[in-house]
Amino acid sequence: MGAGKTTVGRLLAARLGWPFVDLDAVVEKAAGMTIPAIFEREGEDGFRRRETEAVRAVTAHAGQVIATGGGTVMRRENLALLRATGTLVWLRAPLEVLLARARAEGGRPLLAEGDDAAAKRYAARVSVYALADVVVDATQAPDAVAAEIEARLSGAQLEPPEMVPVPAGSRSYAVHVGAELLASSGRLAREVGLGGKALVVTNPTVGAHYATPLMNGLAAAGFSVHRVDIPDGEEHKTLASAERIYRAAVAARLERRDFFVALGGGVVGDAAGFAAATYLRGVDVVQVPTTLLAQVDASVGGKVGVNLAEGKNLVGAFHQPRLVVADVAVLATLPQRELVAGLAEVIKYGAIADPHLLAFLEDRLDDIVQRRLPVLARVVARSCEIKARVVAADERETRGVREVLNFGHTIGHAIEALTGYRRYLHGEAVAIGMVSAALLAQRMGRLAGTEVERLIRLLRRAGLPTTPPPLDETALLAVLQRDKKVRDGRLRFVLLDGLGQAFVTGEVPSQWIKDVLLEQRAL
Ligand SMILES: NC(=O)c1ccc[n+]([C@@H]2O[C@H](COP(=O)([O-])OP(=O)(O)OC[C@H]3O[C@@H](n4cnc5c(N)ncnc54)[C@H](O)[C@@H]3O)[C@@H](O)[C@H]2O)c1
Ligand SMILES: [Zn+2]
């Protein structure tokens, strides 16, 4: 619809030396009539059926530039075929620009419905378009657009960073997602008005790789930069580590207007965030998450804290960061098992809120596991959007909205606890818990068997466990009863109402949990 895909498509084809194919023209040729005529005689259904046939035909060959219709990728089958054959490009332009252009061109049957309906349709489509492999600004001149696509395809030009806003009233902030952003952190910190001294909190593992570029970037932006390391590992997410951070801050004479920068995974983020929330009754913190889990989850939402010997996260605060810098390039050094565990939380977001993200994960899983940066950036940005949306609706976790983020976590946490937090990484236990929850939803008649299978297949392809270890179901139920997920003595579960939609229920009988775990063990 008015994005200029025919003009840009032809120009790009000429640059690449490839043939140009217009999907609408393929449909018209096969039907022996124009698209308005197809709509008139066969309705939109008839057109969509013919369109899928055309997609199947054109995707039989690689090495061509294909201009699709605006609605083509809204069909799962078309999208999967196109993604399997090639690279999807979104020519992004604001709706007003598209409508103005389309009006000038005329002849689009779907435009007859008026601007309101067009706006609704555009919003629905953007949720799929935004998951294209390449996104370009289509308000530029067509030749500039074609040149930019060519540069992106060849890898000569990086995808520009995406900025995800996290609404939190006067403490709203943004997550910047992209490749090679570490060095820009200083500039970004300046842009949000930070000044003075920066205390970088990291650990030796992460610091060895990334402290230097980050600190150089901060120094280049005029900050006076200090560093403190806490030991690596969940067992060091403690008050002792917080104390170490406080004392380094005192030694560097940090004052109220200065700030901390948390460079690391969720452990560093939580501990440094907690220290920031409490040092001098609160200083600013910039989160620079370096694990996939921290980029999609821990760094966004403002929950910070440390563990006690008696339990995890028992001491904490809500302290929103001023800025989050998620540089997907740092994921290159993350151990594979950690990457995959982080992916469990991404799959969770798809399952509770975003069927398009799930489809993207299904189609692009190999690229994610191989850490192709633009694909990782899409995944991180989309996950942060979802978390931001949920958190904005329930910033301090008082309204129950945030509870949906616990999908897979009820049984997941119990499994982690019963295996002494040693056997599974958090994301792995959550993967098992998501399957349990899906099976419970199926029992409740809210999720189809085919949907449960789809979820299991995706988790397994990602390399995540889906069956529980041998453990005593009665002990597991006892852990669940002790868990904070019990309200008025009833177990509360986040279940799915179809893939992409979550709901919370207190209606799960304990016997079902035992049954489901048995069923799951046999999968
Ligand atoms: N605050 C929240 O909302 C929230 C949400 C989810 C989890 N968490 C917390 O996050 C913690 C788990 O975080 P995590 O999974 O990131 O674990 P982590 O911080 O322990 O990091 C995992 C391991 O990877 C290493 N590492 C980190 N980045 C690396 C990189 N780029 N290259 C190489 N190695 C790297 C770390 O040093 C560590 O050994 C838990 O304590 C959990 O409670 C908090
Ligand atoms: Zn989690």
Side-chain angles (χ1 to χ4, degrees):
M1 180 176 63
K5 54 193 183 309
T6 310
T7 314
V8 171
R10 283 188 201 288
L11 290 166
L12 178 64
R15 281 173 174 274
L16 297 169
W18 287 356
F20 172 75
V21 179
D22 184 78
L23 197 68
D24 282 355
V26 174
V27 172
E28 290 187 330
K29 191 161 174 228
M33 48 185 163
T34 64
I35 288 177
I38 299 174
F39 266 81
E40 202 170 298
R41 284 195 213 163
E42 304 175 2
E44 184 170 352
D45 281 355
F47 170 71
R48 293 292 170 209
R49 194 169 20 80
R50 290 180 177 278
E51 185 181 45
T52 296
E53 281 165 25
V55 170
R56 217 173 283 132
V58 299
T59 52
H61 322 277
Q64 20 173 19
V65 175
I66 303 167
T68 73
T72 311
V73 295
M74 300 309 288
R75 275 209 166 182
R76 179 72 189 105
E77 187 183 357
N78 298 347
L79 181 62
L81 284 164
L82 290 163
R83 280 201 183 125
T85 322
T87 306
L88 280 183
V89 178
W90 176 24
L91 304 180
R92 179 169 61 188
L95 179 63
E96 310 82 80
V97 174
L98 297 179
L99 287 175
R101 285 185 188 166
R103 258 185 231 109
E105 285 168 31
R108 309 287 172 107
L110 286 179
L111 261 186
E113 64 197 12
D115 287 4
D116 270 5
K120 254 194 207 132
R121 204 181 53 239
Y122 179 73
R125 289 180 177 181
V126 162
S127 61
V128 178
Y129 295 175
L131 291 168
D133 303 297
V134 172
V135 178
V136 280
D137 171 9
T139 61
Q140 313 170 77
D143 201 49
V145 179
E148 193 176 328
I149 298 170
E150 191 188 13
R152 296 273 187 81
L153 292 176
S154 70
Q157 193 177 322
L158 286 179
E159 282 278 304
E162 291 187 61
M163 220 181 84
V164 181
V166 185
S170 61
R171 281 159 293 109
S172 297
Y173 54 99
V175 185
H176 294 255
V177 184
E180 312 296 348
L181 283 184
L182 276 190
S184 317
S185 301
R187 178 179 52 78
L188 294 171
R190 278 269 173 243
E191 281 172 16
V192 298
L194 290 168
K197 291 179 185 162
L199 176 64
V200 173
V201 183
T202 186
N203 70 30
T205 317
V206 179
H209 291 291
Y210 307 112
T212 304
L214 174 73
M215 292 169 79
N216 286 346
L218 288 163
F223 295 105
S224 139
V225 193
H226 302 265
R227 167 177 170 178
V228 60
D229 284 21
I230 60 172
D232 192 358
E234 178 74 35
E235 67 276 23
H236 296 290
K237 199 175 102 174
T238 55
L239 287 167
S241 290
E243 183 174 4
R244 189 163 172 158
I245 300 168
Y246 301 139
R247 299 183 74 170
V250 174
R253 299 176 194 281
L254 257 76
E255 296 173 6
R256 277 299 306 270
R257 60 186 193 94
D258 301 322
F259 62 104
F260 293 179
V261 182
L263 171 70
V267 167
V268 167
D270 278 11
F274 176 73
T278 43
Y279 179 66
L280 303 180
R281 296 195 181 78
V283 294
D284 284 319
V285 64
V286 172
Q287 292 284 354
V288 185
T290 63
T291 61
L292 182 59
L293 180 111
Q295 294 190 346
V296 301
D297 190 356
S299 64
V300 179
K303 280 210 240 172
V304 295
V306 296
N307 305 328
L308 297 181
E310 287 78 1
K312 290 180 63 152
N313 300 319
L314 288 180
V315 179
F318 284 99
H319 191 59
Q320 301 290 350
R322 285 292 298 277
L323 165 73
V324 180
V325 181
D327 183 342
V328 289
V330 307
L331 301 179
T333 50
L334 190 65
Q336 187 69 10
R337 193 174 165 202
E338 296 282 353
L339 183 89
V340 168
L343 210 43
E345 300 283 359
V346 176
I347 294 172
K348 176 193 81 178
Y349 290 127
I352 63 171
D354 190 350
H356 302 308
L357 175 60
L358 271 187
F360 180 82
L361 296 171
E362 288 172 328
D363 295 339
R364 289 285 180 252
L365 191 63
D366 296 343
D367 295 315
I368 295 169
V369 174
Q370 287 161 26
R371 305 176 203 209
R372 285 200 43 234
L373 299 184
V375 184
L376 287 172
R378 289 281 177 279
V379 158
V380 171
R382 188 65 160 239
S383 300
C384 290
E385 268 170 41
I386 297 169
K387 179 147 187 197
R389 203 166 64 216
V390 174
V391 169
D394 188 13
E395 199 193 329
R396 288 186 169 249
E397 218 173 4
T398 47
R399 273 172 239 158
V401 179
R402 220 165 158 156
E403 222 175 327
V404 297
L405 296 173
N406 281 333
F407 175 60
H409 283 59
T410 310
I411 288 182
H413 278 148
I415 289 175
E416 279 185 282
L418 284 175
T419 51
Y421 295 95
R422 273 187 301 272
R423 175 160 176 175
Y424 297 104
L425 292 178
H426 171 70
E428 294 168 344
V430 167
I432 299 170
M434 287 195 282
V435 175
S436 317
L439 289 169
L440 288 172
Q442 186 184 6
R443 251 165 216 252
M444 226 173 233
R446 305 287 282 266
L447 197 63
T450 49
E451 293 177 298
V452 180
E453 281 163 22
R454 228 183 110 189
L455 180 66
I456 293 175
R457 202 175 318 126
L458 179 59
L459 292 166
R460 287 193 176 154
R461 275 184 60 211
L464 286 160
T466 52
T467 53
L471 43 77
D472 178 0
E473 280 82 24
T474 313
L476 187 128
L477 276 177
V479 173
L480 290 179
Q481 300 290 354
R482 260 190 278 126
D483 202 19
K484 48 188 172 192
K485 270 129 215 132
V486 178
R487 211 180 269 175
D488 310 324
R490 281 190 154 264
L491 275 173
R492 287 175 69 77
F493 268 94
V494 182
L495 302 183
L496 299 182
D497 207 356
L499 287 177
Q501 180 74 44
F503 70 100
V504 180
T505 175
E507 303 299 317
V508 176
S510 319
Q511 186 55 42
W512 281 20
I513 299 166
K514 289 189 180 181
D515 294 348
V516 153
L517 286 169
L518 275 178
E519 184 184 346
Q520 196 176 347
R521 200 158 293 136
L523 282 175

